[in-house]
Amino acid sequence: MFRSSAAALALVACAALVAGCQQAGNDAADPQDAPAAASATATASAAATPSPSASPTGPSAANTAAVCRRADELIIEASRRIADDSAAATRRELTPEQLNGQLKGTLAGLADDLRKQAGNAEDPRIRDLVTDAAKQIDTGAAAASPATWMATGFVRIPERLTRDCHV
C-alpha cells in the first residue's frame, strides 16, 4: 500500500511541476491562438501604457516579472524534489511517517523561500499573492497528511500564480 501512496504523491508532484511550467506566453505559440493572443497583447499593452499621473517610483515591470519567475522556479524545484524523494522512498521502503516528515520539511522550506521572494516584490499585489502562496504551503506542511493536501491544495497554487502573477 505504501508504494502506491508514494507513486500517487509522485504523480501529484509531477502534475504540479507541469502546471508550474505553463507560462502565460507559451500558449501563443499555437498558430490558431495567434489572433487571440495578439488581441490580448494589444489590449494589455494599451492598458499598461502609463498615464502622465503614474508614479515614477512605482513597482517596475522587470521586478514583477523577476519575482513571479523566481516564485515559479521555486515551486518547480520543490516539485522535483518531492517527486525525487517519493521515488527514493519507494526504493528505500520508507514508512509513511518518514515520507511525511520529508514532505513537511520540503514544503516548509518552500514556504520560507516564497516569503523571501515576496519580500523582494515592489508591487504590493504581487507581494500579497506570493505571501498567500507561502501561507497555503504552510498549511500543507502542518497537515497531518501533507500528501493528501498536495492533491487538493498544492496543485492550485501554480495555477493561481500563473494566472495572477504578472504585471
Side-chain angles (χ1 to χ4, degrees):
M1 176 159 147
F2 173 68
R3 285 182 187 261
S4 64
S5 63
L9 179 59
L11 288 174
V12 168
C14 290
L17 180 62
V18 168
C21 290
Q22 299 299 318
Q23 295 295 327
N26 289 348
D27 295 337
D30 185 353
Q32 296 175 351
D33 294 339
S39 174
T41 302
T43 302
S45 178
T49 303
S51 66
S53 64
S55 170
T57 60
S60 74
N63 171 265
T64 295
V67 169
C68 292
R69 182 176 44 255
R70 185 62 187 138
D72 190 45
E73 290 169 355
L74 289 168
I75 289 174
I76 290 169
E77 290 167 9
S79 297
R80 286 182 180 142
R81 197 170 324 118
I82 290 166
D84 290 346
D85 287 349
S86 296
T90 301
R91 286 190 304 274
R92 294 187 323 229
E93 297 185 10
L94 296 181
T95 66
E97 293 79 19
Q98 290 170 318
L99 182 58
N100 275 341
Q102 281 184 333
L103 185 52
K104 286 180 180 210
T106 300
L107 291 172
L110 173 58
D112 289 343
D113 290 344
L114 285 174
R115 266 188 287 283
K116 289 177 193 168
Q117 207 43 235
N120 294 333
E122 295 171 356
D123 184 338
R125 183 184 62 84
I126 299 301
R127 186 179 317 117
D128 291 347
L129 179 68
V130 177
T131 298
D132 184 60
K135 287 177 185 175
Q136 290 177 38
I137 293 169
D138 280 333
T139 299
S145 175
T148 301
W149 174 84
M150 295 270 310
T152 59
F154 187 73
V155 295
R156 285 187 243 141
I157 294 169
E159 293 171 0
R160 181 174 178 218
L161 288 174
T162 297
R163 182 186 68 234
D164 297 340
C165 198
H166 52 80
V167 181

